[in-house]
Amino acid sequence: MTEPQWSRPEGTGATPGHTTKDRLTLRIFLGLVLGFAVGLVLYYLPPALPFAGLEAWVQEYLIDGVFLVFGKIFVNLLKLMIVPLVLVSLICGVTASEESKSLGRLGSKTFVLYLFTTAVAITLALLLGQLIDPGAGANLQGDFEPFQPAERPPFVQVLINIFPDNPMQAMAEGNMLQVIVFAILVGIALNHTGEQGRRIGAIFNDLNVVVMKLIQLIMQLAPYGVFFLVGKVFAEQGIDLLKGLGAYMACVLLALLLHVSGTYMSILVFVARLNPVIFLSKMRSALMFAFSTASSAATMPVTMGIVEKRLGVKNSVASFTIPLGTTINMDGTAIMQGVATVFIASGYGVELGPAEYISVIVTATLASIGTAAVPSAGMITLAMVLGQVGLPAEAIGLILGVDRILDMVRTAVNITGDAVVTCTVARSEGALDQSVFDDPAALEVQPG
Ligand code: ASP
């Protein structure tokens, strides 16, 4: 069975991650900068002007009106693609690998690498938290808004829930792990069904082209979507978003930076033997998306497009590793949770010993699997990590105020981790086309 075609008919617009789209990348970047600037103007200007009622008008009609509506519509359009993309693309991926054995090998390699990078991330965060001690001097007791963590299901239930009893329900609820399991099973069945299987497989390949086309079309709206999303955040919180809890934020950002430049780049250079500069430069539009939407799930269509078309990873690998990574691999989130734990412990005057640190590493690694790929989800699983070492979940209220900006950055790290592991696994499986990776203007992956 051939690889699904990523090529597009001429003159139909840019794709998520290619050169005519370098103009699109630039426009997205402009949207980001303009959103930031306009957001700040909307935050600071109306209160300074002598027009009664202007502030309320801006809030009601602009921030909660135009910005909210267009930002949400754009995120909805991106999310709309998630279920069709994962289902169709993964079925194509499995039918392309044909051998269930190679699928098992691919699965275990990917899973181990995802867990490994997350464990490194959280360890790094804890070490840095210890070194910098961002909570030193902060007496946090009583200094927070209450935060009610959601109930979490018992572990056995989490395990059982990976397997769907109703695929339609799984798709309707956007339960990604269940959709992944369903798509893999359908793909394996198609591989074992001879002529009929090949016919249906060909239909899925065609559907895949249509789904990619739809994503290309939606991407045309990206500069506007990014403008409204970023604009709303800064119009509501101003630059104060960046102030306060400075040491905590600096510590999280530093750990994120070290993880990308240290862990990821070493894996790329020493394990995958790939050029990290090319990798990062090709990832830039996905990074901007992750930053603006603060959702790895919403960014997934872009990540997938770039990994396949610009980094040269075969669909048979990327269609599996990217949706899986989006769902279970959140290194940036784990880093925030590590630093937050050290920060809160220190602010509450609680000493953490080696046993607590190990327990934080294990819990945060597992929590990152269970964190939904949507904005602020990491805050919810943080409650679980804090609870593990006896810290009050209410303390989360304290860092909530500055979480949005950190969420934007850590989401970019989350998707970078997915792409690094994908390239590494693809390389080891002989499923990465080096000429596409090296080509700065790589337009498409040729079929086969
Ligand atoms: N926003 C993150 C993501 O979608 C999850 C989180 O850390 O809150 O990847």
Side-chain angles (χ1 to χ4, degrees):
M1 192 159 291
T2 54
E3 282 275 289
Q5 303 231 2
W6 290 101
S7 50
R8 63 192 169 93
E10 284 313 306
T12 44
T15 57
H18 93 40
T19 313
T20 39
K21 114 222 123 54
D22 270 351
R23 278 223 313 275
L24 182 65
T25 308
L26 185 68
R27 285 171 51 221
I28 296 171
F29 183 68
L30 275 178
L32 193 90
V33 175
L34 272 177
F36 174 73
V38 172
L40 288 185
V41 170
L42 289 180
Y43 183 79
Y44 291 106
L45 201 59
L49 292 177
F51 303 117
L54 179 63
E55 222 179 317
W57 187 88
V58 165
Q59 181 69 38
E60 189 174 345
Y61 293 102
L62 288 184
I63 303 175
D64 290 338
V66 182
F67 279 73
L68 175 84
V69 170
F70 286 106
K72 272 232 179 305
I73 289 178
F74 176 63
V75 171
N76 281 358
L77 286 176
L78 280 175
K79 286 195 183 156
L80 157 86
M81 297 314 303
I82 297 170
V83 170
L85 178 69
V86 172
L87 184 74
V88 174
S89 182
L90 193 47
I91 290 178
C92 290
V94 177
T95 49
S97 34
E98 280 189 40
E99 284 250 344
S100 311
K101 242 199 349 226
S102 70
L103 194 71
R105 199 182 53 226
L106 180 73
S108 31
K109 265 190 209 170
T110 311
F111 194 68
V112 167
L113 260 178
Y114 277 151
L115 284 191
F116 170 74
T117 50
T118 309
V120 172
I122 171 92
T123 311
L124 185 75
L126 289 175
L127 282 176
L128 218 68
Q130 271 292 307
L131 253 158
I132 297 179
D133 196 3
N139 181 8
L140 305 185
Q141 296 174 45
D143 192 16
F144 50 77
E145 301 161 23
F147 175 83
Q148 278 310 322
E151 283 279 321
R152 78 196 135 85
F155 182 68
V156 274
Q157 198 54 45
V158 174
L159 214 61
I160 295 170
N161 283 351
I162 295 175
F163 296 87
D165 59 1
N166 180 344
M168 294 304 157
Q169 191 182 357
M171 286 185 239
E173 289 174 354
N175 185 326
M176 237 9 84
L177 282 182
Q178 292 194 350
V179 177
I180 289 175
V181 169
F182 177 64
I184 291 176
L185 292 178
V186 172
I188 292 175
L190 288 178
N191 282 345
H192 287 86
T193 321
E195 188 46 40
Q196 290 94 333
R198 264 188 291 280
R199 277 204 303 268
I200 303 285
I203 293 176
F204 273 106
N205 275 343
D206 287 350
L207 272 176
N208 202 12
V209 178
V210 177
V211 168
M212 288 311 289
K213 170 57 61 195
L214 197 47
I215 293 174
Q216 289 167 19
L217 296 177
I218 292 170
M219 283 314 143
Q220 297 303 311
L221 298 175
Y224 310 101
V226 165
F227 169 80
F228 288 115
L229 287 171
V230 175
K232 181 165 183 296
V233 171
F234 284 92
E236 267 174 345
Q237 306 198 39
I239 208 79
D240 289 352
L241 191 65
L242 307 173
K243 286 196 290 191
L245 300 173
Y248 163 71
M249 290 181 78
C251 192
V252 174
L253 292 174
L254 185 64
L256 290 172
L257 186 74
L258 284 178
H259 191 55
V260 172
S261 56
T263 319
Y264 290 161
M265 296 307 115
S266 311
I267 293 179
L268 279 178
V269 173
F270 299 114
V271 185
R273 306 213 167 273
L274 290 169
N275 184 329
V277 178
I278 297 181
F279 173 86
L280 281 179
S281 104
K282 289 192 172 184
M283 280 293 288
R284 63 187 186 274
S285 42
L287 296 176
M288 282 194 282
F289 262 86
F291 185 80
S292 333
T293 59
S295 164
S296 332
T299 314
M300 191 177 68
V302 191
T303 321
M304 191 101 123
I306 289 181
V307 163
E308 292 194 10
K309 292 189 197 176
R310 304 212 70 204
L311 298 172
V313 176
K314 272 196 183 172
N315 169 264
S316 54
V317 171
S319 65
F320 171 69
T321 55
I322 292 291
L324 186 70
T326 304
T327 317
I328 70 163
N329 182 52
M330 310 233 170
D331 296 358
T333 306
I335 283 177
M336 175 278 290
Q337 293 178 340
V339 177
T341 308
V342 176
F343 174 70
I344 291 169
S346 151
Y348 272 85
V350 175
E351 278 279 327
L352 297 178
E356 276 85 21
Y357 279 115
I358 291 174
S359 142
V360 170
I361 293 174
V362 174
T363 326
T365 306
L366 295 177
S368 115
I369 297 179
T371 305
V374 295
S376 295
M379 282 285 125
I380 296 164
T381 39
L382 175 60
M384 169 174 149
V385 179
L386 292 178
Q388 202 64 30
V389 287
L391 289 167
E394 292 80 10
I396 291 175
L398 186 83
I399 49 175
L400 262 184
V402 293
D403 190 60
R404 178 65 197 205
I405 188 83
L406 294 179
D407 196 5
M408 292 162 118
V409 184
R410 72 174 176 259
T411 305
V413 173
N414 287 345
I415 62 136
T416 309
D418 301 340
V420 167
V421 169
T422 297
C423 287
T424 309
V425 170
R427 184 73 156 171
S428 76
E429 291 284 312
L432 188 142
D433 187 334
Q434 181 82 49
S435 60
V436 175
F437 185 94
D438 288 337
D439 179 2
L443 298 182
E444 56 204 22
V445 176
Q446 294 305 322

